[in-house]
Each structure stands twice: as structure tokens, then as C-alpha cells.
Amino acid sequence: MHPWESVAPDPFSEITTADLPAPPSALRSQYRTSPLTGPRPPAPQATPTQTQAWASFLAGAVHNGLDPTLVTQWLTILADATGSPVLPSLASMPLGDYVNLRLSAILTGLETTTYAPYLAGWRLRIEPELGQLPLRLITTALITAAVLGWIADGCSRSTIKNTLAMLSRIFEQAIVDGILEHNPAHITG
């Protein structure tokens, strides 16, 4: 953790379902049309929780001697690049840290008999292979390379399926939390 980041232990503690974006079906009537790209959804607006997090991040950065103009530019570039405002503490969070924060939400709704193989997939394969990478930078190509490595290590088909199912649940939770827009763990073959 950098000294200029907020000291809040869990960036999701204040996020409620009211902070989640509306489903695409609710936004269809608000789409703008471009002759080149077709319909596009309107740019999402920052929620009060996100605005407060950005303000506290900026205040902490200024307190630690960083130039507020540069920090503001970084936050703006981050929001433009992702297409949605993201809490600064989540922008470069490694996969391992994210799962440690959100494990209970990721496992919500699973049968108790499924916990053991999913957690084993996380602990033995996903975390050592991808855990140190920022969540937002993990791509389908990286996941495919990891799967090929697990196959080369002699993992069975069911082991790989359980591992991919856990990885997919992690990314689905990241979508719900507004960190990602799509799930890169949907691979076939």
C-alpha cells in the first residue's frame, strides 16, 4: 500500500446495490448513435461513494507532497481508459489482494461440497500463477497460457474445470463491483 492511498481497509464496505450501474436493458433508450460505431451507452457518472473516495485519495496525495494536478490527471485518464469511474484503491489491485478482500462474496451461493475444489484451484493454481498481476490487466491470453501450463503439469480435466470455474466467479464478482466490464475467463477448447 502506498502512503498516499486511503487507509480504509475495505474499499467495498460502503458500496451498496444502489451504487451498481443499471443493467444494459435499462439503458437502451438512452443510447447515443454514431454512424461509425452504432449505438453507444452514455458515459457512466461517478457515484457519491466513488467521488468521496477520489476526493480522499487526492487529499492524501497532496498531503504526501504529490502534485494535485498530476493526480487529478491520473484519475481522469483512469476513468477515460476504463469507461467508468473506478475507486483509486482498486485501479491496480493485484488479483490476490482482491480475492482476499472479496472471498466471501465470491463463494456466495456455492454448494458446500464445491468449496474444497474451488479453493484448492485458487490456492494451488490461480494464486501462484496470476495472483500477483493487477486484476484489470489479466487477459484471456494470460488465462489460456496458465491453463496450458496446468495441462502440462498433468492436471486432470475436472481439476482444470473447477479452477476455471473459480476464476470465472472471481471475475464475475469484479464485474459486479464495477472493476471489470467483461469476464476474461470464458475460454473454450
Side-chain angles (χ1 to χ4, degrees):
M1 185 158 133
H2 298 288
W4 59 83
E5 288 185 285
S6 67
V7 293
D10 183 3
F12 299 99
S13 61
E14 295 186 20
I15 295 177
T16 64
T17 55
D19 294 332
L20 298 176
S25 60
L27 297 174
R28 279 200 186 103
S29 63
Q30 301 171 3
Y31 276 28
R32 296 171 291 162
T33 302
S34 165
L36 297 176
T37 60
R40 296 179 309 180
Q45 299 297 314
T47 64
T49 301
Q50 291 168 326
T51 304
Q52 181 183 9
W54 284 37
S56 66
F57 180 81
L58 180 59
V62 171
H63 176 74
N64 287 302
L66 294 176
D67 181 10
T69 305
L70 292 176
V71 175
T72 303
Q73 287 174 350
W74 178 77
L75 292 172
T76 304
I77 289 168
L78 178 67
D80 289 345
T82 61
S84 66
V86 177
L87 297 173
S89 57
L90 301 177
S92 59
M93 180 179 284
L95 178 66
D97 293 349
Y98 176 73
V99 172
N100 289 336
L101 279 175
R102 300 298 283 161
L103 187 60
S104 61
I106 292 167
L107 297 177
T108 299
L110 275 181
E111 296 289 328
T112 55
T113 56
T114 313
Y115 276 38
Y118 277 34
L119 289 175
W122 164 249
R123 205 173 43 258
L124 299 174
R125 284 168 290 287
I126 300 169
E127 188 174 27
E129 188 83 23
L130 304 169
Q132 74 284 0
L133 298 173
L135 180 63
R136 299 176 68 87
L137 297 182
I138 297 175
T139 63
T140 303
L142 285 173
I143 295 169
T144 303
V147 169
L148 292 174
W150 300 332
I151 292 170
D153 290 343
C155 293
S156 69
R157 180 176 288 200
S158 65
T159 298
I160 291 174
K161 283 184 178 182
N162 285 331
T163 303
L164 283 175
M166 177 63 175
L167 193 56
S168 184
R169 288 186 74 88
I170 292 167
F171 287 122
E172 290 298 327
Q173 185 62 45
I175 291 169
V176 169
D177 291 335
I179 300 171
L180 298 176
E181 293 183 13
H182 71 282
N183 185 343
H186 289 298
I187 62 174
T188 59

